[in-house]
Amino acid sequence: MADPKRANKSGLGYEVEKKMEQNYDREEATGTPANVVNWVNSLIDGDHETIPATDWKSINTHLRDGVALCKLINKLLKADGKSPVTFQKKVMSPFVAMTNIENFNKGAADYGLSTESLFQSGDLWEVRKGPFLNVINTIHSLGFVANEKKWTPVYTGKIKKIGDAE
């Protein structure tokens, strides 16, 4: 559903957006979002409300303020003997949410995730299916870094090579 505040894309912008949405759909078919939700829920359960469903809008809506992400990365950082990231639990403005998201990304980089694997805060904040794949991919990659560090619960996502037909 189109955002009523945003102009509809056309031409090349429309084609790129559709391609990004198709990429998300392919990842969803491989089970990546479901694996991400299961892992995140196992980490934040008891500290934060768990993600209620595995569809992209539910995941996006739940992570959008950055609080759950900050709690997730703080658990990993603490176990790794590193300083936690700061975040605000009460998000009253987009600025605070974006700051939380950026703090998550800084924490993920400190934990060992490559900067190329991080998403931009707009990928989460703008609630668009195509760019949201970047958020899923970041958490997916973070799960593999945690597995390398012998974190439990183990992230059960798989790396699947999907060739692009075009």
Side-chain angles (χ1 to χ4, degrees), residues 32-158:
T32 301
N35 288 326
V36 164
V37 167
N38 291 337
W39 187 63
V40 169
N41 282 346
S42 68
L43 286 171
I44 64 172
D45 190 27
D47 291 331
H48 194 78
E49 183 181 328
T50 57
I51 302 169
T54 60
D55 64 285
W56 78 271
K57 275 203 172 182
S58 295
I59 304 167
N60 186 290
T61 301
H62 193 77
L63 300 178
R64 192 168 185 236
D65 64 4
V67 175
L69 291 172
C70 287
K71 288 181 178 183
L72 166 85
I73 197 62
N74 281 345
K75 278 195 172 187
L76 297 173
L77 288 168
K78 183 180 177 185
D80 207 32
K82 297 182 178 169
S83 298
V85 299
T86 58
F87 66 97
Q88 292 187 27
K89 293 178 184 174
K90 290 194 176 216
V91 178
M92 303 299 241
S93 72
F95 176 76
V96 173
M98 297 280 221
T99 301
N100 283 349
I101 294 166
E102 287 304 313
N103 287 343
F104 163 79
N105 276 328
K106 287 176 189 168
D110 288 346
Y111 188 67
L113 191 62
S114 68
T115 54
E116 295 83 17
S117 297
L118 300 175
F119 65 92
Q120 296 178 5
S121 54
D123 294 339
L124 178 56
W125 183 253
E126 292 179 2
V127 191
R128 291 171 36 228
K129 183 179 182 181
F132 184 64
L133 178 59
N134 296 329
V135 178
I136 293 296
N137 286 338
T138 295
I139 301 169
H140 182 65
S141 298
L142 184 62
F144 290 120
V145 172
N147 286 352
E148 289 173 9
K149 296 183 180 210
K150 308 295 185 218
W151 174 263
T152 54
V154 172
Y155 177 63
T156 59
K158 306 279 187 252

